[in-house]
Amino acid sequence: MRIHPIRLGVVGAVIASGSFLFAMSAGASTSASPANITQFQQKLEQQLTFRVNQLQVLSTDVTKATSLTPSDASTLAARLTEATANITGLLAQVKTDTTMAELRAAQKSMIQGNRVFAVLTPQVFEVIEADSVAAQAATLQSGEAALLAEIDTLQGQPGYANALKHDTAYVAEVNLAAADSAHVSTVVIAQLPQDFPGDTHVFVNANHQLLAADIALARANYNASVIGLASGGYTGS
């Protein structure tokens, strides 16, 4: 079982900060002196570079994720490819921009047209985690019959009642994990850059569901281990 509390924690941080993470100060000087233009240009180039690097990380995550469904993997890869083309294009353009108006237009496109940190980042993390949880839950569900058959062999033995109790808990936790992760990828992957910030709650809710699903998987595996111990007469909890 793979649980990713760090990844989910990062998602929460990204959601909380939104596009403000790398947004330029609204109080920047409106003066269009050459010095101010150069400073603004350099800052914008840095912010675009941050996004190029982040998109590379996200693309690697998608490529290496073994539990992503083909549909989710294809959708995420396409969006990352498009965003990467947009951001790298803006980076090349900004290097040759000469006016504050051009730079501000590029800044707006960088943030509002792509939402690398506010939308794409939590989207990739949460869809990967949702598909991973769903795959783990499906594996555990497929083993329920064999687990129950193992328990049946314990009838009349001291550990039978305890094993049966933990099997009931096992099934409940697996079903909970499957339910919590079932709709996350569908809902999260439907979010687009233009939906922000109205869809912030979508990512927050998905984060909570995935954390609950991970806990349910951990409990299910614990119950399975107790069932295994029951074959040796274990009667504890």
Side-chain angles (χ1 to χ4, degrees):
M1 181 186 66
R2 293 174 299 169
I3 301 176
H4 308 289
I6 295 177
R7 166 175 284 169
L8 293 174
V10 170
V11 171
V14 169
I15 292 169
S17 60
S19 61
F20 180 75
L21 185 61
F22 292 103
M24 295 182 180
S25 171
S29 173
T30 57
S31 172
S33 70
N36 285 333
I37 290 175
T38 298
Q39 184 180 29
F40 197 97
Q41 185 178 44
Q42 291 174 344
K43 195 171 185 179
L44 184 53
E45 287 178 24
Q46 183 183 49
Q47 293 179 338
L48 286 163
T49 299
F50 284 149
R51 284 161 172 77
V52 169
N53 294 338
Q54 178 69 356
L55 288 166
Q56 290 174 345
V57 170
L58 296 176
S59 294
T60 299
D61 283 347
V62 169
T63 300
K64 291 184 176 180
T66 58
S67 297
L68 272 175
T69 66
S71 175
D72 287 348
S74 176
T75 299
L76 291 175
R79 290 185 182 176
L80 291 170
T81 297
E82 179 181 6
T84 299
N86 291 343
I87 297 298
T88 54
L90 285 171
L91 184 56
Q93 171 194 321
V94 164
K95 292 179 183 295
T96 61
D97 283 343
T98 58
T99 69
M100 191 66 77
E102 290 174 329
L103 293 172
R104 289 196 182 281
Q107 179 195 30
K108 181 178 180 180
S109 179
M110 174 188 73
I111 296 175
Q112 297 182 7
N114 296 277
R115 299 291 184 191
V116 173
F117 291 102
V119 174
L120 273 175
T121 294
Q123 191 171 69
V124 168
F125 285 174
E126 291 182 345
V127 171
I128 288 176
E129 184 67 8
D131 286 359
S132 175
V133 169
Q136 292 174 66
T139 297
L140 294 181
Q141 285 175 328
S142 69
E144 288 177 0
L147 200 59
L148 188 57
E150 178 184 345
I151 293 171
D152 286 340
T153 65
L154 301 177
Q155 290 191 51
Q157 298 182 34
Y160 174 71
N162 191 43
L164 200 60
K165 179 183 71 174
H166 282 280
D167 181 66
T168 299
Y170 173 89
V171 172
E173 294 293 353
V174 171
N175 289 343
L176 178 61
D180 280 340
S181 62
H183 303 297
V184 168
S185 62
T186 301
V187 173
V188 168
I189 212 164
Q191 307 311 306
L192 300 172
Q194 58 265 34
D195 297 327
F196 186 84
D199 59 356
T200 301
H201 70 286
V202 172
F203 298 116
V204 173
N205 291 340
N207 202 32
H208 292 164
Q209 286 180 291
L210 291 172
L211 285 170
D214 275 332
I215 291 171
L217 286 176
R219 288 174 174 167
N221 279 282
Y222 166 75
N223 283 301
S225 69
V226 173
I227 292 171
L229 291 172
S231 64
Y234 180 74
T235 59
S237 59

